[in-house]
Amino acid sequence: MAKWGQGDPRWIVEEREDGTNVNNWHWTERDATSWSKGKLRELLVGIAVENEAGRCEISELKQVEGEASCSSRKGKLIFFYEWNIKLGWKGIIKESGVKHKGLIEIPNLSEENEVDDAEVNVSKKKGDGNILKDLMKTAGTAKVREALGDYLKALKTEFTMGMILPTKAMATQELTVKRKLSETTLQASSPVELGVRIPTVALHMTELFDTAIEQLYRIFTVKDLVQKFSKSPAVLEAEKGRKFQMFDGNITGEYVELLTNKKIVMKWRCRNWPEEHYAIVALNFVPTLGQTELQLDCKGVPVCEEENMKFCWQKQHFEEIQGLLQLITLNG
């Protein structure tokens, strides 16, 4: 397998005035190393596991060495990645309140092995606390492997957007999809202009949170809390008409409507969406017995971004917020 920059020069696409790679025939390469390091940090740091004896959390990405790339040839994507990862974890024994620290090492994450077979070594500094080490070796290792699987999924979807260019067959398929989409979906009425007209879908997701409505609403509207669950810089002021940025500028938008502790409506776009195209995201906060149900309704998501949008909300919002709530409860 050729590493980044080592593809056969006879097949690499040269710069052309029209930028054309007809029917995706030529070899193209994209370096995923920098993107991967950020994504691994995002997915791994903050992972937490807990049982009746104690709680552990991955606190830092100490080392990530290696590289990743994606190549395309004849419309097929070829992935190369090879990583040596070292993570720091910390934990607390509930009964005694004693804290311990340790390391997690993943010496060879590569396309040659399945994620479930990836070597994950857990160690702890000298002293007592093996009960925490055992927790990280079991539940912690399972969550680490799950996060590595999420990284590979994002590498093969989120990172590769735009690498496979439209062909005649794909154009025909898109037309078929467009005809099947309801006129209501394609031209969803809303108080905000959605931008360019492209084939879109609507999403509906729900998640139950073990917290009061007031707390959950704050997590979506207070800058410091947004930065905590997203683990990245954010720029926001939750007022109608104000613009916002999250996830280091990868998500941008504008607040359309805010009903305190009840509803938030936003214009919403991902950086790699077509220029000026926004979806409309509505968050409804519904009280239940001692919990809060969050109902997400989203209109105007580009057809090709449906799975990415679901992944973004489930993994980068819902699951991260659940983890933040556990941390808030623990620190009480």
Side-chain angles (χ1 to χ4, degrees), residues 300-318:
V301 178
V303 170
C304 61
E305 290 292 327
E306 180 178 4
E307 291 305 314
N308 284 343
M309 190 68 163
K310 290 178 181 177
F311 179 87
C312 171
W313 277 95
Q314 186 61 47
K315 296 294 183 180
Q316 299 176 351
H317 286 76
F318 296 163

Side-chain angles (χ1 to χ4, degrees), residues 185-198:
T185 303
L186 286 174
Q187 302 178 6
S189 59
S190 70
V192 180
E193 180 61 40
L194 294 183
V196 298
R197 292 287 177 83
I198 62 172

Side-chain angles (χ1 to χ4, degrees), residues 92-128:
I92 183 170
I93 298 176
K94 292 183 178 179
E95 184 176 354
S96 64
V98 176
K99 298 178 180 180
H100 294 274
K101 294 182 179 182
L103 295 175
I104 296 176
E105 295 181 84
I106 307 163
N108 184 26
L109 176 67
S110 73
E111 79 281 358
E112 296 178 357
N113 303 303
E114 296 293 330
V115 170
D116 290 341
D117 298 327
E119 187 177 351
V120 180
N121 301 319
V122 180
S123 61
K124 184 188 68 63
K125 291 187 175 181
K126 293 181 179 180
D128 297 331

Side-chain angles (χ1 to χ4, degrees), residues 194 266-269 273 277-281 298-301:
L194 294 183
M266 301 169 282
K267 288 175 62 178
W268 179 283
R269 79 179 303 274
W273 285 10
H277 180 81
Y278 288 83
I280 295 297
V281 170
C298 186
K299 296 180 180 180
V301 178

